[in-house]
Amino acid sequence: MKKILSGIQPSGILTLGNYLGALKNWVEIQNDYECTYFVADLHSITVTQDPKTLHENIKKVIMQYIACGIDPEKNTIFIQSHVHEHAELGWILNNSAYMGELQRMTQFKDKTAKQENDSVKVGLFDYPVLMAADILLYDPDYVPVGEDQRQHLEITRTLGRRFNSTYGEIFKIPDAYISKSGARIMSLQDPSKKMSKSDANPNGFISLLDSKDEIIKKFKRAVTDSENVVKYTENQPGIKNLIDIYACVTDKKIEQIEAEFEGAGYGTFKTAVGEAVADRLEQIQKKYNELNKPENEEFIQSIYTKGAEKAGKYAKPKLEQVYTALGFVL
Ligand code: ATP
Ligand code: LTN
């Protein structure tokens, strides 16, 4: 069976963007591949986190994975920092990566755009190298992510190939697995920016745990234009984003949606999108609230403990293979 691996940072409660761009696809493919999903806690500290909140968010991400439909019996679920080989391979790969290629990463440029060089963290700069280590450690065939991660997948492939060409065929070179729909959900407040869980303005994103009222309110406030025509065009990025979201949660085609709302104002359309999203999230929230009870704490712990054991069984010999190739004494 082909292998899949992916992760999400516990930098907040997951958003509709994380769900439509990543998790929804993970759920759809879980029967066709051997899948491993982790919580990228080491990546999340590249942006300052409050320790108490981070601690809770790590466990919450695991619960959100399961609530969204990731079956813990079928998939390996673990916490990145529990498998120390990730950080170790990250260090090794730092010696294959070039400053210039990391400086070109758009995520790095976006996240540091408003910062002075003196306060930009080395971890943020190095983020893609650790991500390459996460992936190459397990030889997956595919990495399902949203469109924003395509460049990081490309650098993963470059680093894997570069290492292989110096030290022998050690890593499998994986492909990105990016679905056609939902791969780039935009902020509701600025349709030129992707929806992001660490957005300072909560009106920009829909959290998977927002109430129905909040969801509808946020869609009503969504930034659109003055055309008042529900049409899928680059000239109306706000409406285009809402059509994309509506299409993803209802499985309707774009043309069908344009026809459905022909002559209707934005108010009607926005409410319909809000209701469709809230309906879709209702089941997830129900399952999440069930899991988030004190009596289920042990169950969640057993999932990530078993997951780390299983992941470690692959990661340990892989890292030893790397160390041997480098000439290290084991
Ligand atoms: P942060 O705001 O902390 O940078 P994020 O919300 O952007 O986080 P990540 O943890 O970096 O999310 O991403 C997890 C997964 O969700 C990745 O596969 C990523 O491509 C996908 N993803 C994130 N945001 C979106 C989005 N707006 N549309 C589609 N997919 C997304
Ligand atoms: N950078 C990813 C999170 C992530 C990841 C990975 C995804 C860290 N390591 C390995 C896939 C494979 C993101 O989504 N921002």
Side-chain angles (χ1 to χ4, degrees):
M1 214 184 221
K2 296 228 176 193
K3 293 203 302 183
I4 289 264
L5 174 116
S6 198
I8 298 186
Q9 303 181 73
S11 40
I13 300 298
L14 306 193
T15 69
L16 188 62
N18 299 135
Y19 177 65
L20 298 178
L23 265 163
K24 180 170 173 268
N25 304 321
W26 299 2
V27 173
E28 282 162 10
I29 57 185
Q30 63 183 330
N31 293 322
D32 305 326
Y33 299 92
E34 184 191 325
C35 304
T36 304
Y37 298 117
F38 63 95
V39 183
D41 55 348
L42 294 171
H43 276 100
S44 70
I45 59 163
T46 55
V47 170
T48 307
Q49 304 287 337
D50 166 58
K52 244 178 152 171
T53 313
L54 178 63
H55 186 86
E56 289 311 311
N57 279 342
I58 293 169
K59 293 187 274 181
K60 285 181 182 171
V61 171
I62 304 236
M63 291 189 271
Q64 287 169 88
Y65 281 180
I66 301 169
C68 285
I70 300 291
D71 181 348
E73 294 289 322
K74 278 194 200 134
N75 305 275
T76 305
I77 299 174
F78 72 98
I79 298 170
Q80 185 186 28
S81 64
H82 289 186
V83 182
H84 58 81
E85 284 83 359
H86 290 239
E88 292 173 53
L89 183 60
W91 175 253
I92 302 294
L93 292 177
N94 274 331
N95 302 288
S96 291
Y98 304 136
M99 298 283 288
E101 60 196 356
L102 293 180
Q103 260 153 359
R104 283 195 291 276
M105 293 292 111
T106 50
Q107 177 177 296
F108 176 69
K109 288 197 269 187
D110 287 350
K111 290 203 170 180
T112 55
K114 290 189 200 92
Q115 290 177 37
E116 292 297 327
N117 221 1
D118 276 357
S119 64
V120 170
K121 289 179 180 158
V122 174
L124 194 56
F125 180 68
D126 204 27
Y127 182 115
V129 179
L130 179 60
M131 180 161 161
D134 297 336
I135 298 170
L136 296 172
L137 203 46
Y138 298 96
D139 295 317
D141 296 276
Y142 302 107
V143 182
V145 283
E147 188 61 51
D148 61 304
Q149 295 300 314
R150 189 185 286 281
Q151 209 183 18
H152 290 164
L153 252 297
E154 229 10 87
I155 199 160
T156 298
R157 290 164 55 85
T158 303
L159 295 181
R161 281 203 209 95
R162 195 175 291 154
F163 194 92
N164 283 353
S165 73
T166 313
Y167 298 104
E169 286 302 307
I170 300 210
F171 299 125
K172 176 167 221 153
I173 308 302
D175 285 307
Y177 187 114
I178 300 175
S179 79
K180 284 191 198 80
S181 63
R184 195 165 170 78
I185 301 298
M186 310 312 279
S187 157
L188 299 183
Q189 288 298 308
D190 177 358
S192 69
K193 242 177 52 185
K194 76 159 192 145
M195 183 181 283
S196 170
K197 62 177 121 64
S198 49
D199 189 337
N201 179 359
N203 286 324
F205 59 83
I206 300 292
S207 145
L208 293 191
L209 304 180
D210 278 347
S211 70
K212 184 167 187 169
D213 281 356
E214 278 171 301
I215 295 173
I216 293 177
K217 240 188 242 158
K218 286 185 184 182
F219 277 107
K220 279 193 171 157
R221 289 195 193 125
V223 169
T224 49
D225 52 67
S226 52
E227 301 282 323
N228 221 24
V229 183
V230 179
K231 195 156 191 289
Y232 195 78
T233 137
E234 296 296 336
N235 303 331
Q236 292 173 245
I239 287 295
K240 179 171 177 276
N241 187 40
L242 297 188
I243 297 179
D244 273 330
I245 292 173
Y246 192 65
C248 282
V249 296
T250 59
D251 293 320
K252 289 182 184 171
K253 300 245 175 321
I254 305 286
E255 308 77 60
Q256 201 182 341
I257 297 168
E258 286 176 335
E260 185 179 340
F261 292 97
E262 199 180 343
Y266 285 174
T268 310
F269 178 53
K270 285 176 169 181
T271 306
V273 181
E275 276 177 357
V277 169
D279 284 352
R280 182 72 183 234
L281 297 188
E282 194 186 331
Q283 279 308 95
I284 295 175
Q285 295 181 355
K286 217 167 134 204
K287 182 92 193 280
Y288 176 86
N289 290 334
E290 198 53 46
L291 288 167
N292 193 25
K293 288 186 176 153
E295 63 261 34
N296 281 322
E297 216 167 292
E298 255 177 55
F299 167 64
I300 299 297
Q301 192 180 353
S302 75
I303 289 169
Y304 63 72
T305 308
K306 267 192 259 158
E309 261 170 43
K310 195 160 170 221
K313 285 204 175 111
Y314 200 91
K316 185 171 189 278
K318 191 75 193 176
L319 187 68
E320 282 176 1
Q321 202 187 344
V322 170
Y323 280 2
T324 304
L326 288 162
F328 288 5
V329 176
L330 291 189

